[in-house]
Amino acid sequence: MVLSGLSPRGDLVRAAVLGLLGTRGASSRADIARMLRVSPATVTQTTKELLQRELITELRSVPSTGGRPAILLGLVRAAGGAIGAKVTADHVAIVSVDLDGTVRTSRSVPFDPSAPAALEALSGILRDAVAAHDGHLLGVGVGLPGAVDAQASGLVDAPTLGWGRLPVGRRLRDALGVPVLVDNDVNTLAAAQIVYGNGREHPSFMVVTIGLGVGCAIVQQGSVSRGAHGGAGEIGHIPVSADGPPCGCGNTGCLEAYVGEAGLVATAARTGAIGQRGTIDTLSRAARAGKPAALEVYRDAGRLLGRTLAGVVHTVDPGLVVLMGEGVRDWEFWETGFEESFRQRLMPARRGIRCLVESWTEDQWAVGAASLVLASPFDAAATGAQGELVRARLQTAPEVDR
Amino acid sequence: MVLSGLSPRGDLVRAAVLGLLGTRGASSRADIARMLRVSPATVTQTTKELLQRELITELRSVPSTGGRPAILLGLVRAAGGAIGAKVTADHVAIVSVDLDGTVRTSRSVPFDPSAPAALEALSGILRDAVAAHDGHLLGVGVGLPGAVDAQASGLVDAPTLGWGRLPVGRRLRDALGVPVLVDNDVNTLAAAQIVYGNGREHPSFMVVTIGLGVGCAIVQQGSVSRGAHGGAGEIGHIPVSADGPPCGCGNTGCLEAYVGEAGLVATAARTGAIGQRGTIDTLSRAARAGKPAALEVYRDAGRLLGRTLAGVVHTVDPGLVVLMGEGVRDWEFWETGFEESFRQRLMPARRGIRCLVESWTEDQWAVGAASLVLASPFDAAATGAQGELVRARLQTAPEVDR
DNA sequence: GCCACTTTGTTCGAGACTAAATTTAGTGAG
DNA sequence: CTCACTAAATTTAGTCTCGAACAAAGTGGC
C-alpha cells in the first residue's frame, strides 16, 4: 500500500512549463497554471526563475478579454528535440523530432532482432542517429511490440521479436549516454496522443491499433496504464472463439489470428478473395476495386473487432477510442461491419462512445516513440529515473551542446 | 493534460499514519515510513504532533535486530469506525466496523429501489444506522451495483436498481451530515482488499465477483481504476457469443447471461439438472449431491468464465486475480472448467498468474463499502472532498463525539 | 472621465515534505 | 569491556507549493 497522490515531484513544474511551451507554443502564465493544474503563484515563481536563466522570454501581450491582458511566454530557443525509434521484426524506423512534434528527419534501417548481437546492432543504429541529431537532444524513445516490465529496468518480453526478458533499456542507456525510454509500441502512440492529440481533451481514453497485429493502450487520468508487468492492452490475444486459427502466441482463436494482417490474408485466400500467394496489399486493392469477397473479409474482421472491442470498452470504460495503425488505411472497409457490431454489443450507457480514426503515416510509430521523451516532463511517476534525466536536460542551455 | 505525480496532498500523512495504525495495528516509525513511502523525518514530525495531541502513544520497544530498537506506536483509543451499506434490488445490508476492520454490528433491511422515494428511504435507513453507531464515526460508505460517475457528485447509473443519473452521493450527504463515499459495489470490495487484503502485497490486481451478476474491479498502482465514467470493470456484459440468451442490459450473449445466477439456473432447468422451478440453491445442492448434469452446468460456466477472464487479463495485466462474491461458495464446481479453460487461453507469459478464491461471508459487500471510508486516509486523489472530510474527522478527538 | 467589473500576475507567509547529517540504542566479535 | 557495526529516530536546513491578499491592466456602461 502506497500513499497515492504523494510522490516526490522534484522540480517537476519547471520542466513541465518548458515542455508545455515547447509542445503547445507560447502561453500565458494563467494558461500554464490552468493546464498544469498548479497555482498561479507557482507559475509566477517558476517562470521568474526561467526568465532569469533566459530559458524563456516574454513575448507580446494578447488583447484583453475584459481583464488584465495576458503576457505570452515563449521558449528563448529550440529547447531540444528527441529521437524516436520503432523496432519491428525486420527494420527499425527512426525519426528525429522537435519539441513541438514536427518531424525533422525520418528513415528506416533493416534490422534482424533474432541475430545474436541484435541489441548491439540496435545500439549502433541509435548511436548513429544520436550522432546525426542536430541540436540539443533530450533523449531517445524506443517503442517495440512487446511488454516492457518497468521503465527502470527496461526489461523487454517481445515474442514476435524473439526477445525474452532482455534488458533493452539498460543496455541502450549504457551504449548511448543519453536518457533512453523504452515502452510498448502502442503505449508510445498513446503518449503522443496525450501530448499532442486527443488526450489533451480526454483524461481517459484508449488507443487501438490494427495492422500486423492488434494492440491497445489504456490511458487513465492522463497517464498510460501499464499493468503489473507492463503488459496491459494485449487485446490481440483475447480469445474470441472456442477453436479457431492458430496464433503466434501459441494459442488458437485469438482476435489477432482473425483480424491481424496474417489472419486477414489467410481468410481472404481461403474464401478466394485473393489468390493463394496474395498479400494484404492484394486484398486492399481487391476491396478498393469493389470485389465483394474482399469487402466481406474486411466486414467480417470489422464485426469481430467491434464485438471484441465492445468487451474491452466494458472492461476499461474509456472516454474515447482512437483507432490507429497501418490497418486504418483500409478502415472504410472495416467500418460497416465494425460500427454495426460494436454499437450493438455495447451496453446502452456506453453506446454513445466516440471512435476516432486517425489518419496514418508510416513514421507514426517512431514519432510515438519520440513522444515518450517529450511527454516525460508531464509525467513524474511513470517515467522514473530516465524521465528525470530528460527533465534535467530540458533545463540545460541548448547552446552548450552545439 | 494534467501534471501527474503532482497533486495537493493537504495533510495526507497525518491521516495516513492514523489510518495505518488503525488498520495494521501498532507499528514503529521506521515501518510507517516504509509502508507509506514517506521519509523518516516526516514520520518523526507527524508522530511528534500526534503524540502531543495524544492521539497516539508509544507502546513497548521491540527487541533490536542489530540496530536501535524500534518503538511501537499505537492509537490511544479507537480512532473511529465506519458504516458500510450495500444496496441491492431488494435490501440494504449494513455493517458497522472498527478501524481495524472488525465487524461490530451487521444487519439487513428490506429496500425497494424502484419506489418513488427510494432515495429518501435509503437516507432514512442510513440515518438510523448513523444514530445507532456507537463511538466516533468517520463516515459512511455505500456500495451499489452500478457506475458512480465521480466521487464528487456521487451520480449513479444503476440499471439493475432502475436508477439513472441519480445524485445519490449528494442527497445522502445532505441527509446524513457525515462524509459519504459512494462507489460501485465491486470497487468497494477492491478497496477492502487494498486496505486489509491482497492489495497489501500487490499494487496491481483485479477483483472478480460471481453471483447474481459478474463484476470486476481493477486496481492499478494501489488505487481503483474507475474509467471515464466510473464504469470500468463491467465484464459481465462482455459479449461472449454471436447470439445467446438475452441479458438484463438489453443485449444478448453477455457473459452474465450465461454465468450469472439467472443464467446458471436457466441453463440448469433447460438441461434438466434442476426442475423448472429450481433456484440457484437447488442447483448448488444438486452439484453437492454429485449430480452430473448439475456439475456440468458449473463446469461449463467455469469454462466460459475462464475464457473470458483470460481476455480481461490480457487487457488489464493484473498481478493477481481475486475471486469473490456469493458464487464462490460453489467454486469447487466451477474450478475444473475454469482452470482448464483460463490457463489454456492465457498467453504463455501470463499463464502463471495467481487466482485466489476468497472465502465469502454474507456481510462482505457491506464491509467493502465501509472500507471505502477506511481506505480514504491512504488515497488522496480518488476520494475527493468526502475523503478529506473523513481525514479531518480521523483527527478529531473521539471523546468529543461521545 | 469615472466606476464597477474581470482577468492576470505578484507578494508574502506558512505548511508539508525531504535529504543529509547526527544522535541514540542496541548487537556481536574479540 | 571495547570497538565495529546496524538500524531507528531526530535535527537541521532547506525546497516546493499553495492560499490569500493585493496590485496591475484592461473593458464597458454611463
Side-chain angles (χ1 to χ4, degrees):
Chain A
M1 182 167 58
V2 179
L3 258 191
S4 61
L6 193 160
S7 61
R9 340 189 192 188
D11 59 354
L12 189 51
V13 176
R14 213 150 27 222
V17 169
L18 291 170
L20 195 73
L21 293 180
T23 53
R24 289 276 185 295
S27 319
S28 72
R29 291 178 178 82
D31 276 339
I32 293 172
R34 276 187 294 264
M35 288 210 255
L36 296 179
R37 305 264 175 97
V38 293
S39 74
T42 304
V43 177
T44 294
Q45 291 301 332
T46 308
T47 54
K48 188 189 288 177
E49 193 202 311
L50 294 174
L51 280 166
Q52 258 168 21
R53 286 163 56 191
E54 295 190 316
L55 287 170
I56 63 176
T57 182
E58 294 195 337
L59 307 172
R60 66 189 183 288
S61 306
V62 294
S64 159
T65 59
R68 174 173 172 173
I71 304 165
L72 290 185
L73 299 171
L75 295 176
V76 168
R77 51 199 151 246
I83 289 173
K86 149 89 172 183
V87 181
T88 75
D90 60 1
H91 71 280
V92 179
I94 303 173
V95 295
S96 150
V97 306
D98 275 335
L99 197 48
D100 63 359
T102 22
V103 176
R104 285 210 299 225
T105 68
S106 169
R107 68 207 187 86
S108 177
V109 182
F111 176 66
D112 176 13
S114 63
L119 221 42
E120 281 67 34
L122 181 59
S123 294
I125 294 171
L126 291 177
R127 204 161 29 221
D128 292 349
V130 169
H133 183 87
D134 185 33
H136 187 54
L137 179 64
L138 294 176
V140 176
V142 179
L144 34 79
V148 181
D149 198 329
Q151 201 49 259
S153 57
L155 215 56
V156 168
D157 254 317
T160 56
L161 301 180
W163 292 1
R165 303 197 68 67
L166 207 57
V168 178
R170 191 164 51 69
R171 297 277 284 279
L172 292 181
R173 250 162 251 159
D174 293 347
L176 297 180
V178 292
V180 177
L181 294 161
V182 186
D183 207 342
N184 171 273
D185 48 5
V186 190
N187 284 352
T188 69
L189 293 183
Q193 289 289 320
I194 291 172
V195 187
Y196 300 112
N198 301 288
R200 285 152 66 167
E201 280 86 46
H202 292 83
S204 302
F205 66 97
M206 240 169 56
V207 172
V208 174
T209 59
I210 53 177
L212 267 181
V214 179
C216 169
I218 300 164
V219 177
Q220 301 249 17
Q221 317 290 0
S223 58
V224 177
S225 193
R226 307 171 38 81
H229 325 92
E234 283 285 5
I235 66 168
H237 302 286
I238 293 179
V240 293
S241 72
D243 47 359
C247 173
C249 75
N251 288 341
T252 59
C254 293
L255 173 65
E256 192 166 299
Y258 288 96
V259 305
E261 202 175 290
L264 287 184
V265 171
T267 308
R270 205 181 52 244
T271 63
I274 58 174
Q276 288 304 315
R277 314 205 44 161
T279 65
I280 189 74
D281 292 327
T282 328
L283 179 62
S284 175
R285 276 195 301 271
R288 254 161 241 291
K291 192 168 172 184
L295 290 172
E296 193 56 29
V297 170
Y298 281 113
R299 192 170 308 134
D300 281 348
R303 284 201 195 97
L304 189 56
L305 181 67
R307 174 153 80 85
T308 314
L309 265 194
V312 176
V313 167
H314 288 157
T315 307
V316 174
D317 187 23
L320 171 78
V321 176
V322 182
L323 284 153
M324 305 182 79
E326 296 82 2
V328 298
R329 286 179 182 145
D330 297 312
W331 184 250
E332 52 185 307
F333 309 125
W334 295 66
E335 191 161 16
T336 46
F338 177 82
E339 277 293 324
E340 152 201 331
S341 167
F342 181 62
R343 301 290 167 193
Q344 185 216 317
R345 294 310 192 136
L346 283 172
M347 300 161 62
R350 305 283 173 79
R351 210 160 273 164
I353 187 170
R354 271 217 304 160
C355 265
L356 236 150
V357 185
E358 291 276 292
S359 65
W360 185 256
T361 59
E362 205 46 74
D363 54 14
Q364 213 135 347
W365 285 115
V367 172
S371 305
L372 225 47
V373 176
L374 304 178
S376 57
F378 306 111
D379 197 344
T383 50
Q386 294 301 303
E388 213 163 296
L389 288 178
V390 173
R391 290 191 285 280
R393 285 176 80 91
L394 189 54
Q395 295 179 53
T396 61
E399 58 265 284
V400 175
D401 275 47
R402 289 178 195 258
Chain B
M1 181 167 60
V2 179
L3 209 42
S4 62
L6 191 160
S7 62
R9 343 189 192 186
D11 183 10
L12 192 50
V13 176
R14 210 147 29 219
V17 168
L18 291 170
L20 194 74
L21 293 180
T23 53
R24 289 277 184 294
S27 318
S28 71
R29 292 178 178 81
D31 275 339
I32 293 171
R34 276 188 294 265
M35 289 208 255
L36 297 179
R37 305 263 176 99
V38 294
S39 74
T42 304
V43 177
T44 292
Q45 290 301 332
T46 308
T47 54
K48 189 189 286 176
E49 194 202 310
L50 293 174
L51 280 167
Q52 256 167 22
R53 287 163 56 191
E54 296 190 316
L55 288 170
I56 62 174
T57 181
E58 293 195 337
L59 307 172
R60 65 189 184 287
S61 305
V62 295
S64 159
T65 59
R68 174 173 172 172
I71 304 164
L72 291 184
L73 299 171
L75 294 176
V76 166
R77 51 199 152 245
I83 289 173
K86 148 89 171 182
V87 180
T88 75
D90 60 1
H91 71 280
V92 179
I94 302 173
V95 294
S96 151
V97 306
D98 276 335
L99 197 48
D100 63 358
T102 21
V103 177
R104 286 209 299 224
T105 67
S106 169
R107 68 208 186 85
S108 178
V109 182
F111 176 66
D112 176 13
S114 62
L119 221 42
E120 281 66 34
L122 181 59
S123 294
I125 294 171
L126 291 177
R127 204 162 27 225
D128 291 349
V130 169
H133 183 87
D134 184 34
H136 187 53
L137 178 63
L138 294 176
V140 176
V142 178
L144 35 79
V148 181
D149 198 330
Q151 201 50 256
S153 56
L155 214 57
V156 168
D157 254 318
T160 55
L161 301 181
W163 292 0
R165 302 196 69 67
L166 207 58
V168 179
R170 192 164 50 69
R171 297 277 284 278
L172 292 181
R173 250 163 252 158
D174 292 348
L176 297 180
V178 292
V180 177
L181 294 160
V182 185
D183 207 343
N184 171 273
D185 49 5
V186 190
N187 285 353
T188 69
L189 293 183
Q193 289 290 318
I194 291 173
V195 188
Y196 300 112
N198 300 288
R200 286 151 67 166
E201 279 85 47
H202 292 85
S204 303
F205 66 97
M206 241 169 55
V207 172
V208 174
T209 59
I210 53 178
L212 267 181
V214 179
C216 168
I218 300 164
V219 177
Q220 299 250 20
Q221 317 292 355
S223 58
V224 177
S225 194
R226 306 172 38 81
H229 326 93
E234 283 285 5
I235 66 168
H237 302 285
I238 293 179
V240 293
S241 71
D243 46 1
C247 172
C249 75
N251 287 341
T252 58
C254 294
L255 173 65
E256 193 166 298
Y258 288 97
V259 306
E261 200 174 291
L264 287 184
V265 171
T267 308
R270 203 180 56 245
T271 62
I274 58 175
Q276 288 304 316
R277 316 205 43 160
T279 66
I280 188 73
D281 291 327
T282 329
L283 180 61
S284 174
R285 275 195 302 273
R288 254 162 241 290
K291 193 169 172 186
L295 291 172
E296 194 54 30
V297 171
Y298 281 113
R299 193 171 308 135
D300 280 347
R303 283 200 195 98
L304 189 56
L305 181 68
R307 174 153 81 84
T308 313
L309 265 194
V312 176
V313 166
H314 288 157
T315 306
V316 174
D317 187 23
L320 171 78
V321 176
V322 181
L323 285 153
M324 306 182 80
E326 296 82 1
V328 299
R329 286 178 182 146
D330 297 314
W331 183 249
E332 52 186 306
F333 309 125
W334 296 65
E335 190 162 15
T336 46
F338 176 82
E339 276 294 324
E340 152 201 330
S341 168
F342 181 62
R343 301 290 166 192
Q344 186 217 316
R345 295 309 193 136
L346 284 172
M347 301 162 61
R350 306 282 174 81
R351 209 160 275 165
I353 188 171
R354 271 217 305 161
C355 263
L356 237 150
V357 185
E358 291 275 292
S359 64
W360 185 256
T361 59
E362 205 47 73
D363 54 14
Q364 212 134 347
W365 285 116
V367 171
S371 304
L372 227 46
V373 176
L374 304 179
S376 58
F378 305 110
D379 197 343
T383 50
Q386 293 302 303
E388 212 163 299
L389 288 177
V390 172
R391 290 191 285 280
R393 285 176 79 91
L394 190 53
Q395 295 179 54
T396 60
E399 58 265 283
V400 175
D401 275 46
R402 288 176 196 260

